[in-house]
Amino acid sequence: MSRRRQIYEGKAKILYEGPEPGTIIQYFKDDATAFNNQKKGTISGKGVINNRISEHVFTRLSHIGIPTHFIRRLNMREQLVRQCEIVPIEVVVRNVAAGSICKRLGLEEGEPLPHTLIEYCYKDDDLGDPLIGEEHIACFNWASHEEMQDISSMAIRINDFMCGMFAAIDIRLIDFKLEFGRIFDGDFSRIILADEISPDGCRLWDINSGEKLDKDRFRRDLGGEEGAYQEVARRLGLLENEDSTPGEVFDLSSHRSRLRGKPPPAK
Ligand code: UDP
């Protein structure tokens, strides 16, 4: 395994050549970055949890007919995926105002948007992934009109499915980022969902407490990021948790204490 060829190292994942042509191995790291790489750190165990969460979400999306690059999980930190040509666009789906849109448009964080909004950013770290419109995508030929129709309709279906999936475990899906790729079959190509779906690229708030269960804990120095990622996995039924029952209200302070081996604070 150690002699396989590394293709690319990103901020949260390393890509290796897969065992068969047309396949790639995605290795999930614990590294975390924010604000276009200006803030760097690690979230212990994040790679293992994101690998599991992304496997779960991609598998469920394939069950509703969304074509994805996911083939199978190989081990704790790796999954086998189809090689594809990544479309250089980050697709951001928003249900509730948070993050960059609040600054850009002067919105209050937590304000529900009048309807679901899809935004596109040009994938370029040096430029800070600038917001673009469909006109830019067409002008620079980053994706065809037909590909954008597939991408936007898949993004809406994914959002509808994920809103329900998370609502069922008392999580509000605020926004998230998707990446798509193309796979070629002779002269034809088609769009598939690529990359990952995990608390690194989603905003997930507890429905009752409003507690953030995603990378904003790291971005905003809120602490408890390991516990928050674990909580999402636990509610999705992906983790055994001996001392809490499903549906129990998440208490980050007790969770943090438990992770550090201290008894939870008296209530
Ligand atoms: N996002 C991401 N990668 C990026 C930019 C955004 O995964 O490079 C996700 C982010 O986690 C959030 C959503 O896309 O769930 C919208 O992010 P936003 O534009 O508000 O940017 P941010 O506030 O994260 O800088």
Side-chain angles (χ1 to χ4, degrees):
M1 283 303 247
S2 57
R3 240 172 286 136
R4 66 193 173 189
R5 196 168 70 86
Q6 182 175 317
I7 298 171
Y8 173 79
E9 176 156 8
K11 287 174 269 187
K13 293 192 289 296
I14 305 175
L15 303 183
Y16 296 99
E17 214 165 54
E20 290 123 40
T23 64
I24 280 187
I25 293 169
Q26 285 199 143
Y27 174 96
F28 287 74
K29 302 192 283 185
D30 286 349
D31 296 352
T33 62
F35 311 120
N36 200 24
N37 250 336
Q38 286 172 41
K39 178 174 172 152
K40 289 184 185 172
T42 56
I43 302 175
S44 163
K46 170 174 85 79
V48 174
I49 290 181
N50 282 357
N51 188 19
R52 279 299 271 121
I53 293 177
S54 201
E55 171 196 22
H56 179 78
V57 178
F58 273 63
T59 303
R60 294 194 62 182
L61 288 173
S62 76
H63 292 161
I64 60 153
I66 302 288
T68 84
H69 73 161
F70 181 79
I71 301 173
R72 66 175 181 278
R73 187 166 60 84
L74 298 172
N75 54 48
M76 297 276 276
R77 285 187 184 268
E78 293 178 324
Q79 50 181 242
L80 186 67
V81 300
R82 290 187 72 165
Q83 185 167 27
C84 60
E85 182 182 276
I86 292 289
V87 175
I89 299 168
E90 296 196 338
V91 178
V92 173
V93 183
R94 299 183 185 274
N95 299 303
V96 175
S100 66
I101 198 172
C102 292
K103 276 196 213 133
R104 216 184 318 127
L105 302 180
L107 303 176
E108 183 124 358
E109 183 171 85
E111 209 177 292
L113 296 171
H115 62 78
T116 299
L117 192 61
I118 303 187
E119 292 180 338
Y120 303 108
C121 297
Y122 179 51
K123 240 175 93 67
D124 187 318
D125 283 341
D126 294 340
L127 300 175
D129 298 339
L131 184 72
I132 51 170
E134 294 204 49
E135 291 78 4
H136 300 85
I137 296 169
C139 180
F140 298 107
N141 206 21
W142 290 321
S144 69
H145 178 67
E146 291 71 30
E147 286 176 332
M148 288 313 294
Q149 280 183 327
D150 287 348
I151 286 174
S152 57
S153 68
M154 273 193 239
I156 292 293
R157 289 189 65 208
I158 293 167
N159 182 54
D160 287 347
F161 180 82
M162 292 215 319
C163 279
M165 181 184 79
F166 282 118
I169 52 170
D170 283 351
I171 290 175
R172 204 169 159 209
L173 178 61
I174 305 301
D175 59 30
F176 59 99
K177 187 257 302 181
L178 298 172
E179 291 189 26
F180 292 88
R182 34 178 96 82
I183 47 171
F184 295 91
D185 183 6
D187 287 343
F188 296 98
S189 73
R190 66 188 183 96
I191 292 289
I192 61 173
L193 179 66
D195 194 42
E196 68 176 285
I197 295 180
S198 72
D200 266 4
C202 302
R203 284 197 172 90
L204 305 169
W205 296 357
D206 181 89
I207 277 181
N208 301 304
S209 66
E211 195 92 63
K212 296 183 196 314
L213 301 173
D214 55 56
K215 207 167 89 175
D216 271 351
R217 301 208 72 83
F218 168 78
R219 290 189 189 99
R220 302 183 187 187
D221 293 321
L222 299 175
E225 40 275 60
E226 291 94 347
Y229 280 57
Q230 277 178 25
E231 177 63 11
V232 175
R234 188 189 68 79
R235 289 194 199 180
L236 286 169
L238 308 175
L239 276 191
E240 289 300 317
N241 197 336
E242 54 312 322
D243 56 359
S244 58
T245 49
E248 183 182 311
V249 174
F250 181 46
D251 176 355
L252 268 177
S253 57
S254 69
H255 207 91
R256 258 203 305 279
S257 303
R258 201 180 63 242
L259 287 169
R260 290 186 189 140
K262 282 190 248 154
K267 294 224 170 103

